[in-house]
Amino acid sequence: MTTGSLDCTSAFITLASERFEDLVSFYSALLGQVAQPYQLDRYAEFGLPGLRLAIFRPKLDQADRFNGPTSGAMSLCLEVVDLEAAIAHFTDLGYPPPGPVLNASHGREVYAYDPDGNRLILHQSSTQPA
């Protein structure tokens, strides 16, 4: 049994796609808004009431992670205050992240999985203390 808690500051859904610009165009039209922030051919985010939807192009060496039989392209992203504490919490729960911490353009992150194999991305923003 664990005594800690996940100090989560926000959550958002991401879609990984090799057809990045097609998805950005579709969601721009569907939602009637321009992606903000937007990084050409790499990352786009839409703000919705109570939810952020982010679309990104996976790096070539990580693309297979988003085509797997579990989560596919969708991930539940949990933005945390302290990535190491979040990793320790997942480990205490019996679900340690199987891979290394990655440095992304928006901060540090690690992939974790729930008991059903659904992908979670634990993310610490580069604007938060390391």
Side-chain angles (χ1 to χ4, degrees):
M1 185 163 165
T2 63
T3 57
S5 66
L6 185 65
D7 193 8
C8 185
T9 59
S10 71
F12 59 100
I13 300 295
T14 65
L15 299 174
S17 179
E18 291 299 317
R19 296 175 24 170
F20 174 83
E21 291 299 337
D22 290 340
L23 251 56
V24 171
S25 295
F26 172 81
Y27 281 101
S28 290
L30 178 69
L31 303 172
Q33 61 178 274
V34 175
Q36 198 58 254
Y38 174 77
Q39 295 174 7
L40 182 64
D41 203 34
R42 192 168 166 193
Y43 184 84
E45 191 173 299
F46 299 93
L48 302 168
L51 175 72
R52 288 171 21 211
L53 171 64
I55 300 167
F56 70 100
R57 179 182 303 277
K59 292 180 180 179
L60 290 177
D61 64 342
Q62 297 173 5
D64 287 345
R65 293 181 183 186
F66 298 96
N67 294 323
T70 57
S71 296
M74 191 169 293
S75 303
L76 173 60
C77 295
L78 301 173
E79 190 163 330
V80 298
V81 173
D82 182 337
L83 186 59
E84 282 71 25
I87 291 168
H89 186 59
F90 266 75
T91 301
D92 287 346
L93 292 173
Y95 297 95
V101 172
L102 305 171
N103 290 310
S105 61
H106 51 277
R108 298 170 58 236
E109 64 187 27
V110 68
Y111 301 137
Y113 298 86
D114 70 14
D116 281 343
N118 295 303
R119 183 185 318 100
L120 298 112
I121 299 176
L122 305 176
H123 163 75
Q124 181 177 330
S125 174
S126 57
T127 60
Q128 295 177 350

